[in-house]
Amino acid sequence: MKKDWLEKSKTCGMSGLLLVFLIVASACSDRASSPSKAGTSSENGVKTAKTTVSGTNGKETLNTSEIEMVRIEPGSFKMGTVLPGRYSTPMERPHPVVLEKPFRMAKSEVTQGQWKAVMGSNPSRFTQCGDRCPVESVTWFEAIDFCNRLSKKQGLSVCYEGKGELTKLVPDCEGYRLPTEEEWEYAARAGTKALFYTGNCLGADQANFNATFAVPHCEKGVYREKTVEVGGFPPNPWGLFDISGNVQEWTWDRYLPYPKEGEEQDDTLILNAHRTVRGCGWRNGMGACRLAVREGYTPVYRSDNIGLRLARSAK
């Protein structure tokens, strides 16, 4: 086995055993029919610039002067590792999920320009990348604050109450929030059962990640060693850009083992509970870009590999 397959990037939390098991994964795309169709919905937002990108169906315009959102209809899917039952960690345990309500997911990760327009500063390492690049180096607490400030800016009811560890999600809020893990993976998969939304391989021309580390049967590619402008790669089938690559994305949920089938998730307050990030960033190898991969960090953790993507409830 080649050394580069056993290595992992800084923020990749996969075990060596899981990496070895990926060898048996099929190199062919295994796409399921989508349980729902996603439509687009634009929300007025903060002003920056407009980017034109090449989508999978010709030219598509991604307007970063707004928080453009895709409406995701409810449905069911198998969440967690798609590797057949011989091995999976409790952190990726496959389990059925039913989403009963529609929601909206932002087409792109929050940009530096959008962050500055709301927060008045820019914590990013890659400031030279520009306003159309994803904001990074933000903590979970700062991401929550950004959601509430943007909601207030647009006259919407906020989604979070309380401070610090006592932050609570407001039911049926109108404003912006972080997606739940279930929402994130459901939207990212866009109906696929494969390792990636592109199939069982992810190319350097499809996402910004460290493609010098590839999974078996997949081609290696370039490592850009930095973030790039959002929307520079084709979106996933439901119109979401950079759902893999560029930066990892904070979610609302705590980083806990998935419950076994029939069990309920324990909601007991845990001080300094780790929060989950999903997706992969510019630092990560291909294996860490699998749609089932999840990592957890304290809510004060800051990394130039982590940013955020917004969600909203829908009717």
Side-chain angles (χ1 to χ4, degrees), residues 26-307:
S26 169
C28 300
S29 174
D30 179 18
R31 290 193 175 276
S33 57
S34 169
S36 60
K37 296 181 180 179
T40 59
S41 174
S42 292
E43 306 290 343
N44 292 329
V46 293
K47 295 182 179 180
T48 54
K50 190 172 184 178
T51 305
T52 301
V53 300
S54 296
T56 54
N57 297 312
K59 279 292 183 183
E60 182 169 345
T61 298
L62 177 62
N63 185 357
T64 59
S65 66
E66 297 180 350
I67 305 293
E68 288 192 294
M69 309 199 88
V70 175
R71 180 183 172 93
I72 308 293
E73 299 297 337
S76 60
F77 74 112
K78 179 66 72 69
M79 185 174 182
T81 181
V82 296
L83 301 176
R86 290 165 58 184
Y87 176 77
S88 66
T89 71
M91 306 310 290
E92 292 185 17
R93 181 185 291 121
H95 58 286
V97 169
V98 177
L99 293 173
E100 299 179 346
K101 296 181 179 181
F103 61 96
R104 295 186 179 96
M105 185 78 90
K107 281 188 174 183
S108 72
E109 296 159 337
V110 173
T111 66
Q112 295 182 32
Q114 291 166 343
W115 185 275
K116 287 190 296 184
V118 174
M119 306 296 282
S121 61
N122 184 5
S124 302
R125 171 190 172 189
F126 297 108
T127 54
Q128 292 183 344
C129 187
D131 284 352
R132 292 179 291 186
C133 292
V135 69
E136 24 82 9
S137 303
V138 299
T139 69
W140 186 85
F141 287 139
E142 290 170 342
I144 292 295
D145 188 27
F146 175 84
C147 290
N148 275 357
R149 290 195 190 195
L150 180 58
S151 297
K152 292 177 180 178
K153 190 179 183 72
Q154 296 188 15
L156 303 171
S157 62
V158 299
C159 288
Y160 300 110
E161 292 180 346
K163 293 183 179 181
E165 300 289 346
L166 300 180
T167 300
K168 293 183 178 181
L169 179 66
V170 179
D172 302 318
C173 61
E174 300 174 330
Y176 295 93
R177 57 180 176 80
L178 297 178
T180 65
E181 277 202 84
E182 292 178 345
E183 290 173 336
W184 189 96
E185 188 168 328
Y186 178 69
R189 288 192 175 280
T192 186
K193 294 181 180 179
L195 298 180
F196 315 96
Y197 66 82
T198 55
N200 280 324
C201 290
L202 181 68
D205 60 341
Q206 296 171 316
N208 178 32
F209 66 102
N210 185 354
T212 62
F213 296 109
V215 302
H217 313 297
C218 298
E219 294 183 3
K220 294 182 180 181
V222 300
Y223 178 28
R224 298 175 179 87
E225 302 186 55
K226 61 182 180 180
T227 59
V228 297
E229 292 185 3
V230 299
F233 300 92
N236 82 347
W238 287 358
L240 302 176
F241 294 87
D242 300 305
I243 199 72
S244 294
N246 236 357
V247 290
Q248 295 178 297
E249 301 168 12
W250 285 113
T251 69
W252 164 251
D253 295 282
R254 296 180 299 174
Y255 185 62
L256 298 172
Y258 286 144
K260 296 180 180 179
E261 190 167 353
E263 290 183 345
E264 294 291 333
Q265 187 69 271
D266 185 3
D267 292 327
T268 304
L269 175 65
I270 303 175
L271 295 181
N272 204 33
H274 284 47
R275 296 288 175 164
T276 306
V277 296
R278 298 303 302 263
C280 66
W282 62 273
R283 287 182 180 273
N284 299 107
M286 191 184 300
C289 292
R290 293 180 303 108
L291 297 175
V293 170
R294 54 200 297 258
E295 297 176 6
Y297 300 97
T298 64
V300 296
Y301 181 72
R302 192 183 303 276
S303 168
D304 57 15
N305 200 51
I306 298 177

